[in-house]
């Protein structure tokens, strides 16, 4: 059961990260469209929906990321490789945390400006 949960948590984590990126793209793409005055409210509504879906994806990424820490398997590659792997994971998470923050702020500025 633990193996199944580990795989499921990892899948949801990666899928939600991709979903967030898709919502950023969708908001940006909708922002660039030229629409008739009658359709502006519809487009803004779509942008808001994508923004809130993106926030939900960020929540899922963080929640499943926390869940991954409980299913973490250490020293799979040996002690030396594990030290490098942990440092790389730390750097990756700092970079992605900044990207998620900046991307979400950019989405917000497009939707609510």
């Amino acid at each position: 059961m633990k193996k199944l949960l580990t795989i499921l948590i990892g899948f949801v984590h990666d899928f939600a990260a991709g979903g967030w990126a898709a919502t950023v793209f969708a908001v940006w793409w909708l922002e660039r469209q030229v629409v008739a005055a009658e359709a502006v409210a519809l487009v803004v509504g779509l942008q808001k929906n994508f923004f809130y879906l993106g926030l939900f994806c960020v929540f899922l990424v963080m929640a499943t990321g926390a869940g991954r820490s409980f299913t973490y398997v250490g020293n799979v590659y040996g002690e030396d490789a594990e030290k490098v792997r942990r440092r790389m994971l730390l750097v990756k998470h700092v970079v992605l945390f900044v990207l998620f923050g900046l991307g979400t702020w950019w989405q917000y500025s497009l939707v609510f400006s």
Side-chain angles (χ1 to χ4, degrees), residues 10-110:
F11 175 79
V12 172
H13 184 77
D14 295 342
F15 190 78
W20 173 82
T23 66
V24 173
F25 176 76
V27 167
W28 170 78
W29 185 80
L30 286 168
E31 184 69 21
R32 297 186 68 225
Q33 301 309 302
V34 178
V35 295
E38 302 84 32
V40 169
L42 176 66
V43 170
V44 170
L46 278 171
Q47 285 182 306
K48 286 180 181 179
N49 286 338
F50 279 120
F51 174 75
Y52 291 123
L53 179 59
L55 288 180
F56 179 70
C57 286
V58 169
F59 168 77
L60 279 178
V61 167
M62 291 187 182
T64 54
R68 276 182 143 179
S69 67
F70 294 110
T71 59
Y72 179 78
V73 178
N75 286 332
V76 173
Y77 305 107
E79 195 171 319
D80 291 337
E82 190 61 29
K83 288 178 185 176
V84 173
R85 182 173 174 267
R86 285 180 188 227
R87 260 187 267 127
M88 291 174 69
L89 276 172
L90 180 65
V91 169
K92 177 190 92 163
H93 284 96
V94 168
V95 168
L96 289 177
F97 189 77
V98 169
L99 286 175
F100 270 70
L102 289 173
T104 301
W105 172 81
W106 185 50
Q107 263 188 317
Y108 178 85
S109 68
L110 290 174

